[in-house]
Amino acid sequence: MSYVDEVLAQVIKQNPNEPEFHQAVEEVLNSLRPAIEANEEQYRRDALLERLVNPERQIRFRVPWVDDNGQVHVNSGYRVQYNSAIGPYKGGIRLHPSVNFGIIKFLGFEQIFKNALTGLPIGGGKGGSDFDPKGKSDREIMAFCQSFMSELFKYIGADTDVPAGDIGTGAREIGYMFGMYKKLRGVFEGVLTGKGLTYGGSLVRTEATGYGLLYITQEMLKCHGESLKDKIVVVSGAGNVATYDIEKAQQLGAKVVTCSDSTGWVYDPDGIDLKALKDIKEVKRARLSIYKDYRPNAEYHEGRGVWSIKCDIALPCATQNELLLDDAKQLVANGVMAVCEGANMPTTLEATEYLQANGVYFLPGKAANAGGVATSALEMSQNSERLHWSFEEVDAKLQGIMTDLYHNIDNAAKKYGYEGNYVVGANLAGFEKVAAAMQAQGIV
Ligand code: NDP
């Protein structure tokens, strides 16, 4: 059995009932075969892959909190400190009822490679809780965030582990968590990113993942003699990533015609009204079903369906495994040119393979959505310097990072004979850097 197959079998055996984690490891290790097979003897002796797939540390804790009626609830909190070979652990906090160790491990594992691809000194980590922020009052959100941080603070710090936002964790939640960390530790330090601008946050961080997705998409299209101008784009999601990728896509001349949340989706043939979307999601924190109140010509449908709309470019920006094989077939039948992942692992393995086999340019999330964590790292730099950079300065750095990232994964794919396969390119480029740092630091 090859070394990769041996480690894959071990991962499945040692981590039962964690299908998303198996899926992420399988996708990465399979695409690393050319690099592993070239050094198989040495990597096997050094157990490099076993060290890569096993987190350095994983923490689970109790999060008790009191609701507005005086009822106590208990959620589980998680932090997986996956790999610190190239810098402090860095990765978001997901608050969603589906969260468990398998989900956090899949996200943390992906984060190792994504963070390496940014070219910045950040290791991989991820955290979260099965707490559901939907329908909670501000006070309940604060109670949860304070309880969550009153345990997590023991394990994090500006030079050890720097969490950020993810699904369910936005500026409000980061604010409550930061306040509690400061109170408990008695230090004001850049322990979280995605902070408000009044207390150490970075300009562009809110927009960064969505903007970055469009910057890398633009660069890829440019290298294929195409552009975003007048392209029809379908987007899933209506959260942080989706909102700002719609904003940047519109600025770059594309027409975005869909968005979605977990209850339904909107098709607006005249182009999504961004002001309405922000009002619904950022101000009212409401469901997309009320979008029609703003735009009577738009359609609202319950359930899922954005991939059925004819488009040039598809940007999945909601959650994992939301673009399935049948969706990929429909997109291809409708003539899609590119699929670029804003979310983490939104496309299943079969759907990815189908898109690639049918000549669709496919940018995987670990490259395409790296703008968020890259800008988080820029926030860390500003906090360390105790300086605040302008919007233009951060935005220019983000553009530079995403452009370099595209060429980095493109070159890695070419180097190993997989030209145009950005999944392989991203995994190989990220792996080469992390593996070299791990080898240099000995068996730790
Ligand atoms: P948000 O919580 O802001 O938005 C998530 C969106 O996806 C919401 O519209 C939500 O709908 C929808 N959604 C969530 N879960 C499901 C589900 N199970 N089925 C259908 N729709 C769902 O999160 P973000 O925008 O921050 O994150 C979106 C994705 O991007 C995630 O995969 C995240 O890991 C990834 N990402 C985020 C980064 C960031 O900087 N924020 C950085 C890199 C990646 P509803 O409100 O109804 O739940």
Side-chain angles (χ1 to χ4, degrees), residues 93-97 99 127-133 144-145 148 166-169 173 177:
I93 293 174
R94 176 171 292 192
L95 302 182
H96 193 273
V99 163
S129 171
D130 56 0
F131 172 75
D132 186 358
F144 170 82
C145 290
F148 183 79
D166 191 73
I167 291 179
T169 307
E173 292 74 18
M177 289 181 195

Side-chain angles (χ1 to χ4, degrees), residues 62-79:
R62 187 175 72 192
V63 189
W65 59 278
V66 185
D67 73 17
D68 289 345
N69 299 318
Q71 175 65 50
V72 177
H73 299 262
V74 179
N75 288 101
S76 295
Y78 301 89
R79 187 74 186 161

